[in-house]
Amino acid sequence: MTDSELHQRLCKKDTKAMTILMEKYTSPIHMLISRILAGVGTAQDTEECCSDVFVTAWEQAGRYNANRAPLKTWLLMIARYRALDRRKTLLKQSNLNAADVELETLPDGADTPELHLIHAEERSSVLHALEELKPLDKELVYRRYFLFEPVNKMAKELGLTRQAADNRLWRARKMLREHISENLKEEAADFE
């Protein structure tokens, strides 16, 4: 069953489609959530967060837009935000702050001011900014900052040198910063 057919059936609340969705995407979702919750959450937290992703997909299937991203990407973005929210909650509950617990999945240099800016902005603004990127740059940003893949691995798989991948990521971050900054200025002007 294609993702398009799967999505159509989910919109009709077909429970068999949900079962297929879970069989198809539990592994990458679980892996991403485990990476984000590493050092903070338990296996039970990971399982609950994974379940939350599928509940959200079930409830919001009608909001998915295939023109914006593949179904897998949509699910992984839901997973990422759910896991980051859970991580924040767990840190508060344990009276730790983010500086006390390292995010093991972020390679050196990934915890940049640019990434913090992206996290601080509304999700819709970031998604809109990502749509402005060239397809290759969008894939690099998504794989690097949403799936936490190493630059060397991405460069090799995409037929780029490490330097070319780094340069494209730098330019993409710069464009995202500028786009988000423009949006913030527009929003501030609306309130004046």
Side-chain angles (χ1 to χ4, degrees), residues 55-89:
V55 169
T56 301
W58 176 260
E59 292 172 346
Q60 297 183 5
R63 297 177 75 188
Y64 166 67
N65 181 349
N67 294 327
R68 291 188 73 168
L71 186 61
K72 180 179 180 182
T73 302
W74 181 66
L75 291 169
L76 288 171
M77 289 184 74
I78 293 170
R80 181 177 184 276
Y81 288 115
R82 289 281 181 196
L84 289 171
D85 288 345
R86 178 67 58 97
R87 180 179 177 80
K88 185 177 179 181
T89 300

Side-chain angles (χ1 to χ4, degrees), residues 107-190:
D108 292 340
D111 194 17
T112 63
E114 292 88 355
L115 187 58
H116 284 288
L117 176 64
I118 290 171
H119 286 189
E121 301 306 322
E122 291 186 29
R123 294 173 192 157
S124 61
S125 177
V126 173
L127 291 173
H128 186 269
L130 285 170
E131 290 301 317
E132 301 296 319
L133 294 175
K134 294 177 182 174
L136 179 59
D137 295 340
K138 187 185 336 182
E139 182 173 354
L140 283 166
V141 167
Y142 170 73
R143 290 174 66 174
R144 179 70 175 130
Y145 299 113
F146 287 79
L147 299 179
F148 307 114
E149 289 185 19
V151 176
N152 286 336
K153 177 184 176 213
M154 293 186 310
K156 183 178 179 182
E157 290 176 1
L158 295 171
L160 300 170
T161 64
R162 166 68 192 244
Q163 185 64 43
D166 283 334
N167 289 342
R168 292 185 86 93
L169 284 167
W170 180 84
R171 283 192 304 268
R173 285 193 311 266
K174 182 179 176 191
M175 195 287 290
L176 289 170
R177 250 191 333 269
E178 290 169 358
H179 183 83
I180 290 169
S181 178
E182 287 173 23
N183 283 351
L184 287 174
K185 287 177 187 173
E186 289 173 10
E187 289 175 13
D190 290 342

Side-chain angles (χ1 to χ4, degrees), residues 48-60:
E48 287 176 12
C49 199
C50 196
S51 295
D52 290 347
V53 170
F54 290 109
V55 169
T56 301
W58 176 260
E59 292 172 346
Q60 297 183 5

